[in-house]
Amino acid sequence: MSAAAEQARGAAVEPDRLDPFSTPRDVDRVFGHDEAIAEFETALRSGRMHHALLLVGPEGIGKATLAYRFARTVLAHGDDGEAGDVPANDPVFRKVAGIAHPNLLVIRRSWVEKSKRYSQWIGVDEVRRLRAFLGNTAGADTWRVVVVDRADELNQNAANALLKALEEPPPRTLFLLVSSAEGRLPVTIRSRTRTLRLAPLADAPLSAAVRAALERDGVEADEKALRLALTLAQGSVRRALELVSGEGIELYDQIIANFEALPALDGAALHKQAEHLAGAGDTERLELYLALLLGLIERLIRAGATGQGASEAEHKLAKALVSKDNLSSWADIWERIFEARAEAFALNLDRSLLVLNTWFGLQELVQEHPVEGAA
């Protein structure tokens, strides 16, 4: 595929973009992940770069942003002994951002015109593009980079096709595989990569990354809401931006109000919430809602066990709902909600019922395991 065709294709296909923010390709600075960057740069300078790197870590912490930083560095400096990032005004930066560099191939989920939605998995036809890309003798004397985002979305046939390329990679080729769910990848693929494990961002780089994104893309945010978003984000830039730019804070407030009412539940209000969350095309809203709910339960469990790690409102909830005697029950319901969420999305089950059953389960837990002395 020509660079012009790839650029046109890239403009239309952005399955994981969080509007209105820039794509990871357009971001000119990585916050945090200093150890991974140092390891990569040392390997490049020494000439001992592994042919395939697997960037693993939680959702939204900058894995794809880091992968494109690595891609720019290799395409600009792979042969000159340099290893620093490429400035935004460099032609290589602009070509990578536009997926217009002839030595870059991006493999990801594709847009299905018939259904007007993105495919659920990366199909084998996407990976088959590797054959022409790697067989292009015009790039044989320079580095070539393949970004697979996200590798855990490869279907079985696509994974098998990628494995063949990983088993016999051409010289001076770097595969960058991005994954938030390493366990979904076949062991055969994992065994042929070098894994870089990336942790959630600490408070300082998280705040810097989120504020930089807001400034870069001209999105205004209330400072109080921003501070709350940073607290709830659990080291994820994407989660913080979802919270501060959309209805995330409103969803969080609804969850807090429901918890404060337990074991009572307002049936009419709960059904209204479920309908709002389960509407067609609202997958991202429901995913955010459930992520916030699961994150809150995690923090309540931690606060119940240690007395630390929660905001004032969450600390009050922990005192009212969680004790050392019922910690295991809270851990069990976290696991049940997590599994029910995965099953509902995988099998396209009734999502309003998922929300209702989640709260009925929480109501039952609080009724059966009350905290002694709680109001």
Side-chain angles (χ1 to χ4, degrees), residues 251-266 269-270 273 277 289 293 296 317 321 355 359 362:
L251 293 176
Y252 173 76
D253 288 341
Q254 289 178 2
I255 293 168
I256 288 290
N258 287 352
F259 267 96
E260 288 175 340
L262 287 174
L265 285 174
D266 183 332
L270 186 58
Q273 285 180 30
L277 292 165
Y289 180 89
L293 189 146
L296 174 57
L317 283 177
L321 300 175
V355 175
W359 284 108
L362 288 166

Side-chain angles (χ1 to χ4, degrees), residues 100-167:
H101 198 291
N103 284 4
L104 172 70
L105 178 67
V106 178
I107 295 174
R108 55 192 172 174
R109 289 185 293 127
S110 57
W111 175 259
V112 181
E113 187 62 31
K114 183 177 181 180
S115 62
K116 302 296 183 183
R117 61 190 302 176
Y118 295 106
S119 55
Q120 185 177 359
W121 306 102
I122 298 175
V124 68
D125 288 342
E126 273 290 295
V127 181
R128 282 175 178 160
R129 297 164 59 222
L130 272 171
R131 186 179 305 168
F133 177 73
L134 297 179
N136 180 8
T137 57
D141 293 332
T142 55
W143 279 85
R144 285 174 285 194
V145 178
V146 179
V147 176
V148 184
D149 185 16
R150 312 170 183 182
D152 43 74
E153 293 174 344
L154 292 159
N155 67 22
Q156 184 174 348
N157 289 335
N160 291 337
L162 177 63
L163 178 60
K164 292 179 181 179
L166 292 175
E167 288 176 334

